[in-house]
Amino acid sequence: MEETIVAPATPAGRGGVSIVRLSGKSAARVGGRLCGELPEAWSFKPCSVCDRTGSFIDSGLVVFFAAPRSYTGEDVVEIHCHGNPLIVDSVISAAISLGARVAEPGEFTKRAFLNEKIDIAQAESVADLIAAQTSSAVVAASASLSGEFSGVINETIDRLIEIRVLVEACLDFSDEDSVAVFDEESGTVKFALKKEIEDLEKILKGSLLGSKMRDGVRVVILGPPNCGKSTLLNYLAKEDVAIVSDDPGTTRDLLRVTMDLGGLPVEFVDTAGLHEDTSVGVELEGMRRALASLDTADVVVLMSCVGEKFDVPLPASCNSIRVFNKVDILSKEGGDESSLFISALTGEGVDVFIKSVFSSLGVGVGVEVPLLARRRHLDFLEKSLGFLWSSLEALESGSDLVIVAEELREAQKSLGSITRPVSSDELLGSIFSRFCIGK
Ligand code: GDP
């Protein structure tokens, strides 16, 4: 981390202000050459920004954060200039000519991690905060950034260490002593292990929801023409949710609308257009294709008018909800006890429909803001739980204590990988490469 890096900290484009950020050993020297004498740490100063030859680029403000009290833990200089990409480019070129180099994506945050300003889960939440699609996801990402998620994980690690200490202490005795001592302690260890398993299962459940909140879920609506698919989408968009994006889709066949449904970013995919002017057989084939191309669907809604036959063979693993529409003009009939009857026009039954979308995802409506989590976190939580179970089984079956200790060690290691992985350049590379430049 000898090199000093530079990048715009604000998005490309025109606006009131753009910020160019420098971090590293020479940040103060480069910043000083560009902006004149730097202000005291943590304060702003008006400045003229000039290149190395003294040519004027822009007038702005400069702020200096002296190491280690900065985002990266290094000396950081921020230059606030007018929001024009040409000005930003000139400031960056001038910084490069003075010895800085352009930062890689996520490099500022990576330095913050390497300088132990934040742990890896917090670093990830910086990117999640920027990418959050719903206000609940923003709240969840902020909580993770402030260390809540890491806190929960680290507290669990601390308790696992205590259990390990008990087990490992027994390993240090001679065989007979060890058995005698452990007989006394095993009840305590078993009890503590069971409690950790229970708690970790709760954390995993919350994280599962957190990962859905981060990544969003996809709900595909299939149904014959005129059964009310678009009307339902419009109703949801108008009444219950805020449309956060409206994308006509990459193929002409599919309409995708992403909504904030009770805190979860839900992308509804309307397959309207597949069925028009086609015979029934072709329609079904078209729908099968739509479904096949949407194998990432979390939930499939099979919709038709009340009394209308509609069936599509779905993969067994598929979460589906059967919905009959137009109950405002048609009397309820058909379906089974799990079928829903709604009116997409008047909104009757739509609240129950939304609840069922949530419950088929395994979550409740009106998401209590959970821990925003990534697939990576879920994997390590699941791994850790697996090791804890094995440890408990080994303990209960009277296996060698060495096995119990080893499983516990692995459980702790897996949890540790969530917040502070034992340095794996590949893992860090893959995490930070997904950041935007300047973060
Ligand atoms: P899609 O082809 O499945 O997207 O169907 P549309 O949403 O375009 O609806 C087709 C027609 O049915 C339109 O005239 C809608 O106003 C009407 N419609 C949709 N839902 C309802 C409903 O719940 N009740 C009544 N009475 N009409 C509906």
Side-chain angles (χ1 to χ4, degrees), residues 265-312:
V266 180
E267 182 189 60
F268 280 95
V269 182
D270 179 0
T271 52
L274 283 176
H275 321 274
E276 263 81 11
D277 303 319
T278 53
S279 69
V280 173
V282 179
E283 255 177 35
L284 286 177
E285 179 54 27
M287 283 184 274
R288 256 185 236 113
R289 282 185 197 173
L291 200 59
S293 72
L294 297 166
D295 52 1
T296 50
D298 295 288
V299 182
V300 175
V301 176
L302 296 175
M303 187 169 174
S304 71
C305 298
V306 184
E308 191 179 16
K309 278 211 159 42
F310 178 68
D311 201 12
V312 178

Side-chain angles (χ1 to χ4, degrees), residues 168-246:
E168 306 248 355
C170 294
L171 287 176
D172 288 341
F173 288 94
S174 71
D175 274 356
E176 294 123 57
D177 288 345
S178 144
V179 172
V181 172
F182 200 72
D183 276 352
E184 279 171 37
E185 297 289 1
S186 69
T188 320
V189 172
K190 254 183 234 171
F191 180 79
L193 255 177
K194 282 184 184 158
K195 173 92 179 60
E196 287 317 317
I197 289 175
E198 202 179 294
D199 287 356
L200 209 56
E201 274 171 348
K202 277 192 205 137
I203 296 172
L204 179 62
K205 208 166 167 211
S207 304
L208 213 60
L209 171 56
S211 79
K212 288 192 166 48
M213 192 178 255
R214 174 181 182 273
D215 300 332
V217 293
R218 177 170 293 169
V219 179
V220 176
I221 307 179
L222 289 178
N226 292 323
C227 71
K229 299 183 293 299
S230 312
T231 309
L232 177 63
L233 272 192
N234 287 340
Y235 184 86
L236 290 170
K238 221 172 35 228
E239 302 290 332
D240 293 293
V241 289
I243 292 187
V244 289
S245 86
D246 192 347

